[in-house]
mmCIF file of all heavy atoms in Angstrom:
data_model
loop_
_atom_site.group_PDB
_atom_site.id
_atom_site.type_symbol
_atom_site.label_atom_id
_atom_site.label_comp_id
_atom_site.label_asym_id
_atom_site.label_seq_id
_atom_site.Cartn_x
_atom_site.Cartn_y
_atom_site.Cartn_z
ATOM 1 N N THR A 5 -6.731 -16.794 -25.249
ATOM 2 C CA THR A 5 -6.281 -15.788 -26.238
ATOM 3 C C THR A 5 -6.624 -14.350 -25.712
ATOM 4 O O THR A 5 -6.475 -13.413 -26.480
ATOM 5 C CB THR A 5 -6.898 -15.980 -27.585
ATOM 6 O OG1 THR A 5 -8.347 -16.023 -27.428
ATOM 7 C CG2 THR A 5 -6.503 -17.377 -28.146
ATOM 8 N N ASN A 6 -7.094 -14.227 -24.538
ATOM 9 C CA ASN A 6 -7.413 -12.945 -23.975
ATOM 10 C C ASN A 6 -6.151 -12.242 -23.484
ATOM 11 O O ASN A 6 -5.723 -12.335 -22.354
ATOM 12 C CB ASN A 6 -8.380 -13.058 -22.780
ATOM 13 C CG ASN A 6 -8.894 -11.716 -22.231
ATOM 14 O OD1 ASN A 6 -8.333 -10.671 -22.481
ATOM 15 N ND2 ASN A 6 -9.978 -11.740 -21.500
ATOM 16 N N ILE A 7 -5.394 -11.537 -24.485
ATOM 17 C CA ILE A 7 -4.168 -10.977 -24.167
ATOM 18 C C ILE A 7 -4.230 -9.861 -23.112
ATOM 19 O O ILE A 7 -3.268 -9.771 -22.305
ATOM 20 C CB ILE A 7 -3.491 -10.423 -25.526
ATOM 21 C CG1 ILE A 7 -2.059 -9.938 -25.258
ATOM 22 C CG2 ILE A 7 -4.390 -9.321 -26.067
ATOM 23 C CD1 ILE A 7 -1.102 -11.095 -25.110
ATOM 24 N N ALA A 8 -5.301 -9.165 -23.042
ATOM 25 C CA ALA A 8 -5.455 -8.122 -22.088
ATOM 26 C C ALA A 8 -5.452 -8.725 -20.620
ATOM 27 O O ALA A 8 -4.730 -8.179 -19.661
ATOM 28 C CB ALA A 8 -6.699 -7.333 -22.251
ATOM 29 N N ALA A 9 -6.129 -9.801 -20.444
ATOM 30 C CA ALA A 9 -6.247 -10.436 -19.128
ATOM 31 C C ALA A 9 -4.935 -11.060 -18.729
ATOM 32 O O ALA A 9 -4.422 -10.940 -17.587
ATOM 33 C CB ALA A 9 -7.293 -11.517 -19.157
ATOM 34 N N VAL A 10 -4.225 -11.654 -19.723
ATOM 35 C CA VAL A 10 -2.908 -12.274 -19.393
ATOM 36 C C VAL A 10 -1.860 -11.084 -19.111
ATOM 37 O O VAL A 10 -0.989 -11.331 -18.265
ATOM 38 C CB VAL A 10 -2.421 -13.206 -20.507
ATOM 39 C CG1 VAL A 10 -1.033 -13.792 -20.130
ATOM 40 C CG2 VAL A 10 -3.449 -14.336 -20.678
ATOM 41 N N ARG A 11 -2.031 -9.992 -19.784
ATOM 42 C CA ARG A 11 -1.146 -8.849 -19.409
ATOM 43 C C ARG A 11 -1.376 -8.408 -18.074
ATOM 44 O O ARG A 11 -0.418 -8.028 -17.360
ATOM 45 C CB ARG A 11 -1.365 -7.733 -20.496
ATOM 46 C CG ARG A 11 -0.738 -7.962 -21.830
ATOM 47 C CD ARG A 11 -1.132 -6.893 -22.846
ATOM 48 N NE ARG A 11 -0.467 -7.072 -24.110
ATOM 49 C CZ ARG A 11 -0.798 -6.614 -25.258
ATOM 50 N NH1 ARG A 11 -1.950 -5.883 -25.307
ATOM 51 N NH2 ARG A 11 -0.246 -6.910 -26.377
ATOM 52 N N ARG A 12 -2.525 -8.427 -17.600
ATOM 53 C CA ARG A 12 -2.818 -8.083 -16.210
ATOM 54 C C ARG A 12 -2.116 -9.014 -15.248
ATOM 55 O O ARG A 12 -1.526 -8.627 -14.193
ATOM 56 C CB ARG A 12 -4.331 -8.085 -15.864
ATOM 57 C CG ARG A 12 -5.137 -6.903 -16.505
ATOM 58 C CD ARG A 12 -6.535 -6.717 -15.861
ATOM 59 N NE ARG A 12 -7.367 -7.973 -16.098
ATOM 60 C CZ ARG A 12 -8.129 -8.063 -17.150
ATOM 61 N NH1 ARG A 12 -8.216 -7.141 -18.100
ATOM 62 N NH2 ARG A 12 -8.906 -9.135 -17.253
ATOM 63 N N ILE A 13 -2.162 -10.302 -15.546
ATOM 64 C CA ILE A 13 -1.494 -11.313 -14.729
ATOM 65 C C ILE A 13 0.025 -11.084 -14.775
ATOM 66 O O ILE A 13 0.652 -11.092 -13.734
ATOM 67 C CB ILE A 13 -1.900 -12.728 -15.230
ATOM 68 C CG1 ILE A 13 -3.353 -13.025 -15.026
ATOM 69 C CG2 ILE A 13 -0.973 -13.775 -14.507
ATOM 70 C CD1 ILE A 13 -3.826 -14.300 -15.585
ATOM 71 N N ALA A 14 0.613 -10.892 -15.911
ATOM 72 C CA ALA A 14 2.004 -10.685 -16.070
ATOM 73 C C ALA A 14 2.422 -9.425 -15.252
ATOM 74 O O ALA A 14 3.517 -9.485 -14.535
ATOM 75 C CB ALA A 14 2.416 -10.504 -17.573
ATOM 76 N N LYS A 15 1.670 -8.396 -15.306
ATOM 77 C CA LYS A 15 2.029 -7.167 -14.530
ATOM 78 C C LYS A 15 2.032 -7.452 -13.028
ATOM 79 O O LYS A 15 2.899 -7.026 -12.284
ATOM 80 C CB LYS A 15 1.044 -6.019 -14.888
ATOM 81 C CG LYS A 15 1.383 -4.797 -14.151
ATOM 82 C CD LYS A 15 0.466 -3.625 -14.638
ATOM 83 C CE LYS A 15 0.884 -2.262 -13.977
ATOM 84 N NZ LYS A 15 -0.065 -1.160 -14.312
ATOM 85 N N ARG A 16 1.014 -8.243 -12.581
ATOM 86 C CA ARG A 16 0.908 -8.496 -11.134
ATOM 87 C C ARG A 16 1.964 -9.492 -10.647
ATOM 88 O O ARG A 16 2.290 -9.513 -9.482
ATOM 89 C CB ARG A 16 -0.531 -9.001 -10.813
ATOM 90 C CG ARG A 16 -1.563 -7.904 -11.035
ATOM 91 C CD ARG A 16 -2.978 -8.478 -10.860
ATOM 92 N NE ARG A 16 -3.153 -8.893 -9.415
ATOM 93 C CZ ARG A 16 -4.227 -9.614 -8.998
ATOM 94 N NH1 ARG A 16 -5.228 -9.962 -9.887
ATOM 95 N NH2 ARG A 16 -4.334 -9.939 -7.711
ATOM 96 N N VAL A 17 2.431 -10.299 -11.529
ATOM 97 C CA VAL A 17 3.541 -11.262 -11.245
ATOM 98 C C VAL A 17 4.842 -10.518 -11.059
ATOM 99 O O VAL A 17 5.664 -10.840 -10.189
ATOM 100 C CB VAL A 17 3.646 -12.359 -12.288
ATOM 101 C CG1 VAL A 17 4.918 -13.139 -12.128
ATOM 102 C CG2 VAL A 17 2.461 -13.320 -12.202
ATOM 103 N N SER A 18 5.124 -9.530 -11.878
ATOM 104 C CA SER A 18 6.385 -8.811 -11.982
ATOM 105 C C SER A 18 6.661 -7.972 -10.754
ATOM 106 O O SER A 18 5.778 -7.421 -10.117
ATOM 107 C CB SER A 18 6.456 -7.975 -13.214
ATOM 108 O OG SER A 18 5.606 -6.851 -13.120
ATOM 109 N N GLY A 19 7.953 -7.776 -10.456
ATOM 110 C CA GLY A 19 8.434 -6.938 -9.375
ATOM 111 C C GLY A 19 7.964 -5.525 -9.706
ATOM 112 O O GLY A 19 7.612 -4.751 -8.820
ATOM 113 N N ARG A 20 8.076 -5.104 -10.968
ATOM 114 C CA ARG A 20 7.724 -3.731 -11.400
ATOM 115 C C ARG A 20 6.278 -3.413 -11.081
ATOM 116 O O ARG A 20 5.782 -2.312 -10.771
ATOM 117 C CB ARG A 20 8.010 -3.607 -12.861
ATOM 118 C CG ARG A 20 7.632 -2.228 -13.491
ATOM 119 C CD ARG A 20 7.963 -2.239 -14.970
ATOM 120 N NE ARG A 20 7.509 -1.006 -15.648
ATOM 121 C CZ ARG A 20 8.195 0.053 -15.787
ATOM 122 N NH1 ARG A 20 9.478 0.069 -15.320
ATOM 123 N NH2 ARG A 20 7.736 1.134 -16.370
ATOM 124 N N GLY A 21 5.397 -4.509 -11.152
ATOM 125 C CA GLY A 21 3.927 -4.294 -10.839
ATOM 126 C C GLY A 21 3.536 -4.572 -9.475
ATOM 127 O O GLY A 21 2.364 -4.667 -9.104
ATOM 128 N N GLY A 22 4.553 -4.720 -8.549
ATOM 129 C CA GLY A 22 4.249 -4.942 -7.121
ATOM 130 C C GLY A 22 4.105 -6.451 -6.807
ATOM 131 O O GLY A 22 3.708 -6.760 -5.704
ATOM 132 N N GLY A 23 4.563 -7.297 -7.697
ATOM 133 C CA GLY A 23 4.479 -8.834 -7.473
ATOM 134 C C GLY A 23 5.769 -9.298 -6.906
ATOM 135 O O GLY A 23 6.269 -8.856 -5.900
ATOM 136 N N LEU A 24 6.249 -10.305 -7.547
ATOM 137 C CA LEU A 24 7.416 -11.109 -7.042
ATOM 138 C C LEU A 24 8.743 -10.257 -7.228
ATOM 139 O O LEU A 24 8.982 -9.840 -8.379
ATOM 140 C CB LEU A 24 7.589 -12.432 -7.703
ATOM 141 C CG LEU A 24 6.324 -13.414 -7.555
ATOM 142 C CD1 LEU A 24 6.487 -14.627 -8.380
ATOM 143 C CD2 LEU A 24 6.197 -13.762 -6.036
ATOM 144 N N PRO A 25 9.501 -10.054 -6.233
ATOM 145 C CA PRO A 25 10.716 -9.330 -6.371
ATOM 146 C C PRO A 25 11.702 -10.021 -7.331
ATOM 147 O O PRO A 25 11.740 -11.270 -7.411
ATOM 148 C CB PRO A 25 11.368 -9.363 -4.990
ATOM 149 C CG PRO A 25 10.221 -9.677 -4.067
ATOM 150 C CD PRO A 25 9.312 -10.555 -4.827
ATOM 151 N N SER A 26 12.447 -9.228 -8.118
ATOM 152 C CA SER A 26 13.403 -9.744 -9.132
ATOM 153 C C SER A 26 12.808 -10.484 -10.183
ATOM 154 O O SER A 26 13.531 -11.205 -10.942
ATOM 155 C CB SER A 26 14.516 -10.608 -8.479
ATOM 156 O OG SER A 26 14.022 -11.902 -7.966
ATOM 157 N N VAL A 27 11.554 -10.417 -10.403
ATOM 158 C CA VAL A 27 10.895 -11.073 -11.612
ATOM 159 C C VAL A 27 10.369 -10.039 -12.619
ATOM 160 O O VAL A 27 9.723 -9.092 -12.254
ATOM 161 C CB VAL A 27 9.666 -11.970 -11.145
ATOM 162 C CG1 VAL A 27 8.922 -12.520 -12.408
ATOM 163 C CG2 VAL A 27 10.193 -13.194 -10.288
ATOM 164 N N GLN A 28 10.757 -10.244 -13.861
ATOM 165 C CA GLN A 28 10.172 -9.419 -14.961
ATOM 166 C C GLN A 28 9.272 -10.314 -15.754
ATOM 167 O O GLN A 28 9.623 -11.498 -16.008
ATOM 168 C CB GLN A 28 11.315 -8.949 -15.820
ATOM 169 C CG GLN A 28 12.353 -8.021 -15.134
ATOM 170 C CD GLN A 28 13.521 -7.657 -15.944
ATOM 171 O OE1 GLN A 28 13.953 -8.355 -16.854
ATOM 172 N NE2 GLN A 28 14.098 -6.505 -15.615
ATOM 173 N N ALA A 29 8.154 -9.815 -16.197
ATOM 174 C CA ALA A 29 7.143 -10.659 -16.884
ATOM 175 C C ALA A 29 6.467 -9.882 -17.926
ATOM 176 O O ALA A 29 6.267 -8.680 -17.838
ATOM 177 C CB ALA A 29 6.114 -11.255 -15.949
ATOM 178 N N MET A 30 6.106 -10.557 -19.032
ATOM 179 C CA MET A 30 5.296 -10.045 -20.132
ATOM 180 C C MET A 30 4.422 -11.034 -20.713
ATOM 181 O O MET A 30 4.723 -12.259 -20.573
ATOM 182 C CB MET A 30 6.244 -9.408 -21.200
ATOM 183 C CG MET A 30 7.131 -10.322 -21.885
ATOM 184 S SD MET A 30 8.149 -9.491 -23.096
ATOM 185 C CE MET A 30 9.425 -10.738 -23.547
ATOM 186 N N ALA A 31 3.318 -10.691 -21.330
ATOM 187 C CA ALA A 31 2.384 -11.577 -21.932
ATOM 188 C C ALA A 31 2.652 -11.634 -23.455
ATOM 189 O O ALA A 31 2.670 -10.612 -24.115
ATOM 190 C CB ALA A 31 0.878 -11.148 -21.653
ATOM 191 N N LEU A 32 2.688 -12.877 -23.949
ATOM 192 C CA LEU A 32 3.001 -13.084 -25.392
ATOM 193 C C LEU A 32 2.133 -14.151 -25.908
ATOM 194 O O LEU A 32 2.005 -15.275 -25.394
ATOM 195 C CB LEU A 32 4.457 -13.492 -25.533
ATOM 196 C CG LEU A 32 5.597 -12.543 -25.049
ATOM 197 C CD1 LEU A 32 6.971 -13.092 -25.241
ATOM 198 C CD2 LEU A 32 5.466 -11.226 -25.867
ATOM 199 N N ALA A 33 1.483 -13.875 -27.050
ATOM 200 C CA ALA A 33 0.703 -14.889 -27.725
ATOM 201 C C ALA A 33 1.602 -15.992 -28.199
ATOM 202 O O ALA A 33 2.643 -15.763 -28.759
ATOM 203 C CB ALA A 33 0.017 -14.212 -28.975
ATOM 204 N N HIS A 34 1.139 -17.210 -28.023
ATOM 205 C CA HIS A 34 1.873 -18.399 -28.356
ATOM 206 C C HIS A 34 1.035 -19.419 -29.075
ATOM 207 O O HIS A 34 0.528 -20.402 -28.365
ATOM 208 C CB HIS A 34 2.623 -18.983 -27.107
ATOM 209 C CG HIS A 34 3.800 -19.863 -27.457
ATOM 210 N ND1 HIS A 34 3.658 -21.174 -27.362
ATOM 211 C CD2 HIS A 34 5.009 -19.577 -27.894
ATOM 212 C CE1 HIS A 34 4.811 -21.775 -27.720
ATOM 213 N NE2 HIS A 34 5.666 -20.786 -28.008
ATOM 214 N N GLY A 35 0.776 -19.288 -30.348
ATOM 215 C CA GLY A 35 -0.035 -20.099 -31.077
ATOM 216 C C GLY A 35 -1.487 -19.730 -30.980
ATOM 217 O O GLY A 35 -1.804 -18.586 -30.566
ATOM 218 N N GLU A 36 -2.378 -20.489 -31.518
ATOM 219 C CA GLU A 36 -3.828 -20.088 -31.681
ATOM 220 C C GLU A 36 -4.557 -20.029 -30.370
ATOM 221 O O GLU A 36 -5.506 -19.329 -30.219
ATOM 222 C CB GLU A 36 -4.534 -21.081 -32.642
ATOM 223 C CG GLU A 36 -3.981 -21.035 -34.009
ATOM 224 C CD GLU A 36 -4.729 -22.013 -34.981
ATOM 225 O OE1 GLU A 36 -5.628 -22.747 -34.433
ATOM 226 O OE2 GLU A 36 -4.381 -22.036 -36.169
ATOM 227 N N ASP A 37 -4.251 -20.847 -29.384
ATOM 228 C CA ASP A 37 -5.109 -20.928 -28.133
ATOM 229 C C ASP A 37 -4.345 -20.697 -26.839
ATOM 230 O O ASP A 37 -4.919 -20.824 -25.772
ATOM 231 C CB ASP A 37 -5.652 -22.421 -28.070
ATOM 232 C CG ASP A 37 -6.415 -22.795 -29.265
ATOM 233 O OD1 ASP A 37 -7.197 -21.919 -29.741
ATOM 234 O OD2 ASP A 37 -6.173 -23.818 -29.821
ATOM 235 N N VAL A 38 -3.053 -20.219 -26.918
ATOM 236 C CA VAL A 38 -2.255 -20.042 -25.757
ATOM 237 C C VAL A 38 -1.625 -18.650 -25.708
ATOM 238 O O VAL A 38 -1.211 -18.106 -26.727
ATOM 239 C CB VAL A 38 -1.118 -21.099 -25.638
ATOM 240 C CG1 VAL A 38 -0.205 -20.826 -24.511
ATOM 241 C CG2 VAL A 38 -1.752 -22.535 -25.604
ATOM 242 N N THR A 39 -1.614 -18.054 -24.502
ATOM 243 C CA THR A 39 -0.858 -16.831 -24.223
ATOM 244 C C THR A 39 0.079 -17.166 -23.075
ATOM 245 O O THR A 39 -0.343 -17.680 -22.081
ATOM 246 C CB THR A 39 -1.758 -15.658 -23.897
ATOM 247 O OG1 THR A 39 -2.711 -15.503 -24.902
ATOM 248 C CG2 THR A 39 -0.933 -14.380 -23.797
#
């Protein structure tokens, strides 16, 4: 549920954040124990 940490991962995965080309990513809470 550490949304800040998962946002860091999403940013690093995305092409915009220097990660995978042609990938857009965002972190979203999904239930009580999952992001």
Side-chain angles (χ1 to χ4, degrees):
T5 57
N6 186 340
I7 188 72
V10 181
R11 283 174 179 158
R12 287 196 297 271
I13 292 171
K15 183 176 181 179
R16 293 175 67 188
V17 167
S18 71
R20 180 182 173 88
L24 300 175
S26 73
V27 173
Q28 298 172 334
M30 58 183 171
L32 300 175
H34 196 258
E36 294 182 358
D37 304 313
V38 173
T39 306

